Amino acid sequence: MPQQPHRVTLSPFPWRQNCAAAARLHRMASMRLTDWSSSSTTTSRLLPFSRTSNPARSYAVCPARRLLPMLPPNIASPVRLLTARRDFSASSVKAMMSVEACAKVIDGKAVAKKIREEIGAEIARMKSETGVVPGLAVILVGDRKDSATYVRNKKKACETVGIKSFEVCLPEDSAEQEVLKHISEFNDDPSVHGILVQLPLPSHMNEQHILNAVSIEKDVDGFHPLNIGRLAMRGREPLFVPCTPKGCIELLHRYNVEIKGKRAVVVGRSNIVGMPAALLLQREDATISIVHSRTRNPEEIIKQADIIIAAVGQPNMVRGTWIRPGAVIIDVGINPVEDAKSPKGYRLVGDVCYEEASKVASAITPVPGGVGPMTIAMLLSNTLTSAKRIHNLP
């Protein structure tokens, strides 16, 4: 009887969803097929195959949520596997291995644009039906260029959605009482539904004293201690949630990232981002850890996370080796680093090393274009919410 041809049956190992193997495969791309060992103990990982109408022309596209099949240990050589896989050529194998960055990009700029459109439509409807126009007042003290840029962007965003903008710009050496006077006036102005004091304030001013002077009903930044206290308590609802943490959670929701029951790590514990972000994740039934400047072995804690929110202000602090394969990363950091190739002499990077993390994570926010646009979008949302609450509108 003629000898039956050898048949190969593939059984994928139950790996976690990830594309970390793509980086290792890339290093193998320069190897010729004839260089692979024929030892029976050799195992080789291959990228998942995307099925098409013609299996012989299938390509590995390394989607973030696919499993990676492993060569069974009884197969002597990857060449035999390739033969069983409809005769892939060496060039096509190299092409398959060239895919490195597998993480889905969480496009905060696109999401923020969509939210602004939703807010604009709601304000137009509210104005036509009731005549109410939301108003946002911004107080800027000093001449910091970054603060002036933020205020300008907020004013522009207000105009695009139909929110009336009020602005007070005071010199650096203004007295604290001068700032408090303007806050009091805006608190009493019925056409103003949100008040924002641009931070940081000059060093001679008591920041906490000034923020506490903003009416809690108009605290659209969400920094009033009563709002933070309500956020921390079960069964209580804050009138407003701080804009940047709220934007982080909104991105997770809009990209259908499951939070309930997941392990989440927040890197940083500031009152503006870190602490409220941890409280919001806890409200979503995640199990929370906070990494800060006194944390020992932070990489070991971060590596356990399904969700990472990095807000520490240190460029590229979180490395790819710190990240659990398949994790979702929200990078709040915006840090300038020197770049001789840039016309400005610098470029912006996050707190997470994007080049490394994108090869391990399942989804990640870019910097810029990730969390930044969401902060202003959430400010507009809070202002609209305030106007509807003050005027008892649905």
Side-chain angles (χ1 to χ4, degrees):
M1 300 230 0
Q3 184 178 0
Q4 293 296 321
H6 178 72
R7 297 190 179 186
V8 175
T9 302
L10 294 178
S11 298
F13 277 57
W15 277 30
R16 244 186 104 75
Q17 297 175 357
N18 72 88
C19 288
R24 294 192 294 271
L25 290 171
H26 179 70
R27 293 194 295 268
M28 297 168 57
S30 60
M31 299 170 60
R32 295 179 301 173
L33 294 179
T34 55
D35 289 335
W36 286 347
S37 171
S38 60
S39 169
S40 61
T41 60
T42 300
T43 59
S44 302
R45 296 179 180 89
L46 298 180
L47 297 176
F49 291 86
S50 175
R51 298 295 184 186
T52 66
S53 58
N54 183 359
R57 293 182 175 272
S58 297
Y59 295 93
V61 294
C62 197
R65 304 189 188 281
R66 293 287 299 276
L67 300 179
L68 296 173
M70 179 181 282
L71 188 66
N74 63 323
I75 302 302
S77 169
V79 177
R80 294 167 68 181
L81 175 59
L82 291 174
T83 303
R85 285 287 202 172
R86 301 290 184 91
D87 299 323
F88 282 89
S89 65
S91 60
S92 64
V93 172
K94 289 182 180 181
M96 289 187 288
M97 292 179 177
S98 66
V99 182
E100 289 188 359
C102 301
K104 175 186 289 185
V105 176
I106 299 177
D107 191 343
K109 189 174 182 179
V111 173
K113 181 176 182 294
K114 176 65 174 174
I115 292 173
R116 290 196 304 270
E117 292 171 353
E118 295 168 359
I119 293 172
E122 179 69 10
I123 290 175
R125 182 194 63 79
M126 186 170 68
K127 182 178 179 181
S128 65
E129 294 179 359
T130 66
V132 174
V133 177
L136 175 64
V138 179
I139 299 175
L140 174 63
V141 184
D143 55 0
R144 284 176 58 113
K145 290 184 178 180
D146 56 348
S147 293
T149 299
Y150 293 147
V151 169
R152 185 168 58 251
N153 289 341
K154 291 167 184 175
K155 183 177 181 180
K156 183 179 178 181
C158 285
E159 293 172 353
T160 61
V161 300
I163 292 177
K164 188 175 181 180
S165 182
F166 302 83
E167 185 176 333
V168 171
C169 296
L170 301 173
E172 178 86 13
D173 58 356
S174 296
E176 184 174 310
Q177 194 60 38
E178 180 75 7
V179 179
L180 293 173
K181 183 190 78 162
H182 286 288
I183 291 175
S184 178
E185 291 173 353
F186 287 136
N187 281 340
D188 296 334
D189 188 342
S191 64
V192 174
H193 305 98
I195 302 172
L196 184 151
V197 179
Q198 183 64 45
L199 302 178
L201 291 166
S203 58
H204 66 278
M205 294 187 179
N206 186 324
E207 181 179 293
Q208 200 61 45
H209 188 200
I210 289 174
L211 293 179
N212 289 352
V214 176
S215 169
I216 188 174
E217 289 82 9
K218 298 185 179 184
D219 174 38
V220 290
D221 247 348
F223 294 154
H224 195 286
L226 289 180
N227 272 322
I228 295 297
R230 289 179 177 180
L231 181 63
M233 297 176 68
R234 292 177 62 86
R236 301 291 185 91
E237 291 297 327
L239 295 182
F240 303 100
V241 173
C243 299
T244 299
K246 183 179 179 181
C248 294
I249 302 301
E250 186 68 19
L251 284 175
L252 294 174
H253 286 166
R254 298 249 174 174
Y255 274 80
N256 298 315
V257 176
E258 185 178 2
I259 304 176
K260 184 176 181 179
K262 300 297 183 180
R263 292 184 177 182
V265 171
V266 178
V267 187
R269 54 178 173 176
S270 72
N271 291 332
I272 296 174
V273 182
M275 289 305 297
L279 293 173
L280 285 171
L281 288 166
Q282 183 171 275
R283 279 179 165 249
E284 299 271 347
D285 294 323
T287 300
I288 310 301
S289 296
I290 299 175
V291 169
H292 50 79
S293 59
R294 299 294 183 266
T295 301
R296 296 180 179 178
N297 302 318
E299 62 275 15
E300 295 302 321
I301 298 173
I302 294 171
K303 201 164 189 177
Q304 299 176 25
D306 301 302
I307 299 170
I308 301 168
I309 295 181
V312 70
Q314 296 293 327
N316 297 323
M317 171 186 159
V318 179
R319 314 302 300 191
T321 55
W322 296 17
I323 297 166
R324 184 179 186 176
V328 176
I329 301 173
I330 305 294
D331 193 349
V332 181
I334 303 180
N335 310 290
V337 296
E338 292 184 3
D339 186 354
K341 297 180 180 179
S342 171
K344 297 180 180 180
Y346 69 91
R347 59 187 173 90
L348 297 177
V349 301
D351 294 342
V352 179
C353 181
Y354 186 89
E355 291 76 12
E356 297 175 4
S358 61
K359 300 172 186 176
V360 184
S362 63
I364 186 172
T365 57
V367 177
V371 176
M374 292 297 295
T375 298
I376 294 180
M378 294 299 99
L379 174 64
L380 303 178
S381 174
N382 282 352
T383 303
L384 172 59
T385 298
S386 178
K388 293 168 72 174
R389 183 187 294 121
I390 290 173
H391 294 279
N392 294 316
L393 299 175

